[in-house]
Amino acid sequence: MTVESTTTQGFARFRRLRSSEGLRRLVRETRLTPEEFVYPLFVVHGQDVREEIPSMPGQYHLSLDLLAAEAEDLRSLGVRAVLLFGLPAEKDDEGSEAYAGDGIVQQAVRALKSADPDLTVITDVCLCEYTSHGHCGVISAGGAGADSEVDNDASLELLARTAVSHARAGADLVAPSDMMDGRVAAIRAALDVANLGSTPIMAYSAKYASAFYGPFREAAESAPQFGDRRGYQMDPPNAREALREIEADIDEGADIVMVKPALPYLDVIAQARASFDLPLAAYNVSGEYAMIHAAARNGWLDGPRAVLETLTSIKRAGADIVITYHAKEAARLLA
Ligand code: PBG
């Protein structure tokens, strides 16, 4: 029978509810609000620095003195959470500015929380922006040739120290992105010992070794100086393994889990949503942002529509929280 698709008195069954914006709005299954967006910020040393990142048009390196104005801007747009990345004054083998009390991120947390105590400040916990070799952990003694030489357990201690120093500075949520095994447990234990038991962890649980991080690595000056990250980030063809990673992070104490990148992994987001009931975040990464931007600049697609369609797809797949460089633009479009 084809009753479902036939017309009655000239009105096709599925088209009836598409005939006006009012009806479309009424039956919409997925809605976007700026409150579920997290806006990444790249913080740098210096004064009055607001430098556009070439690989990410519309995104900036910002110095500490400009963060209060940025917080104000975000508040007026209804974007209520940020994710901080820092560019250190100097890099070294152990990434020591990552866990320095007066490191760039620690200072940025204090500046943002004093400008707007209601802003949710999330910090990315990783060593790659701070190490001279650009890897997310420390290199085994004598090693200098392959990413498999990133020493898992030696890295855990420094990652935990980083998370504790971020939380001490006032971070509302710490987000380890390094992909070392066991880091959520190490960070949870270190936070608890430091009397920071109320600080939650958002784990980059299923983080893939993706080509879509290219623009970010330019922005954060964090490209590995040798090898790549395939020895610790996930292999793109694997989805079942993503569920095991997420499960392990939950067992270790993660409060929010994440899939990253978002668009090439919508299936993983949907499977994670179906398998776990923790809050689920998805990271709409730098390469996804740059692609839309580049195509829109060339007049090849309608940028604003592509942005909203993209964010809607990530939410429809099952994400509760969307980390996105489009946050401010999307908030403006939704207003
Ligand atoms: C740090 C980190 C990266 C991103 C977030 N945290 C880069 C990487 O793993 O190489 C990527 C974010 C983006 O591309 O927008 N490990």
Side-chain angles (χ1 to χ4, degrees):
M1 279 270 283
T2 53
V3 171
E4 294 256 326
S5 58
T6 54
T7 60
T8 38
Q9 297 166 346
F11 288 97
R13 178 183 175 108
F14 287 112
R15 293 183 54 189
R16 278 182 205 126
L17 288 176
R18 294 174 196 156
S19 61
S20 70
E21 179 54 18
L23 286 170
R24 288 192 294 270
R25 199 183 298 131
L26 191 65
V27 299
R28 201 154 279 161
E29 297 174 26
T30 307
R31 294 170 205 276
L32 287 175
T33 82
E35 293 194 326
E36 65 223 357
F37 299 153
V38 175
Y39 185 58
L41 285 178
F42 296 95
V43 189
V44 296
H45 289 282
Q47 277 283 317
D48 206 24
V49 182
R50 185 182 166 82
E51 234 170 66
E52 191 165 27
I53 299 165
S55 54
M56 301 177 69
Q59 307 302 315
Y60 297 84
H61 283 148
L62 284 179
S63 54
L64 295 165
D65 53 315
L66 301 187
L67 292 179
E70 185 67 25
E72 180 60 41
D73 198 24
L74 290 166
R75 179 186 268 281
S76 71
L77 290 167
V79 176
R80 305 305 299 130
V82 293
L83 174 61
L84 298 186
F85 295 96
L87 283 84
E90 268 173 46
K91 299 176 191 261
D92 56 35
D93 282 353
E94 284 81 40
S96 47
E97 197 179 319
Y99 39 90
D102 62 348
I104 186 70
V105 163
Q106 290 80 353
Q107 292 191 58
V109 170
R110 289 192 285 267
L112 285 165
K113 290 304 286 187
S114 73
D116 182 354
D118 297 332
L119 182 70
T120 296
V121 177
I122 311 171
T123 56
D124 184 87
V125 175
C126 196
L127 299 181
C128 64
E129 294 117 85
Y130 304 90
T131 49
S132 36
H133 46 74
H135 278 289
C136 302
V138 290
I139 307 299
S140 319
D147 48 319
S148 58
E149 289 169 354
V150 173
D151 185 329
N152 195 84
D153 294 0
S155 303
L156 295 184
E157 197 207 315
L158 298 183
L159 292 161
R161 230 195 273 178
T162 303
V164 166
S165 80
H166 289 172
R168 271 204 188 114
D172 296 292
L173 190 53
V174 292
S177 69
D178 53 283
M179 290 301 279
M180 298 300 123
D181 283 341
R183 88 269 207 223
V184 174
I187 289 171
R188 181 73 271 153
L191 288 170
D192 292 351
V193 166
N195 249 327
L196 294 160
S198 65
T199 304
I201 299 172
M202 174 166 78
Y204 285 71
S205 304
K207 175 172 175 179
Y208 287 89
S210 171
F212 290 90
Y213 308 150
F216 172 95
R217 289 183 189 171
E218 193 176 315
E221 297 170 8
S222 67
Q225 299 304 299
F226 61 85
D228 53 43
R229 303 210 201 292
R230 288 180 235 213
Y232 41 100
Q233 298 181 346
M234 284 188 59
D235 198 20
N238 295 0
R240 293 192 303 268
E241 186 188 348
L243 300 182
R244 293 207 305 280
E245 280 274 12
I246 293 170
E247 193 172 20
D249 283 357
I250 295 172
D251 286 346
E252 290 180 29
D255 300 282
I256 300 174
V257 291
M258 192 200 300
V259 174
K260 176 189 174 188
L263 279 189
Y265 300 90
L266 290 176
D267 59 323
V268 178
I269 296 173
Q271 289 186 57
R273 168 76 302 147
S275 307
F276 305 102
D277 54 15
L278 261 72
L280 176 63
Y283 199 141
N284 176 223
V285 301
S286 58
E288 300 172 49
Y289 173 84
M291 279 194 307
I292 290 187
H293 239 275
R297 271 204 179 179
N298 278 295
W300 294 338
L301 50 71
D302 176 337
R305 282 188 59 201
V307 166
L308 292 181
E309 189 174 331
T310 295
L311 298 177
T312 300
S313 76
I314 297 167
K315 190 149 181 227
R316 194 185 59 232
D320 303 300
I321 299 165
V322 184
I323 303 165
T324 179
Y325 304 97
H326 297 298
K328 289 165 72 169
E329 181 186 1
R332 271 185 217 105
L333 293 169
L334 292 168

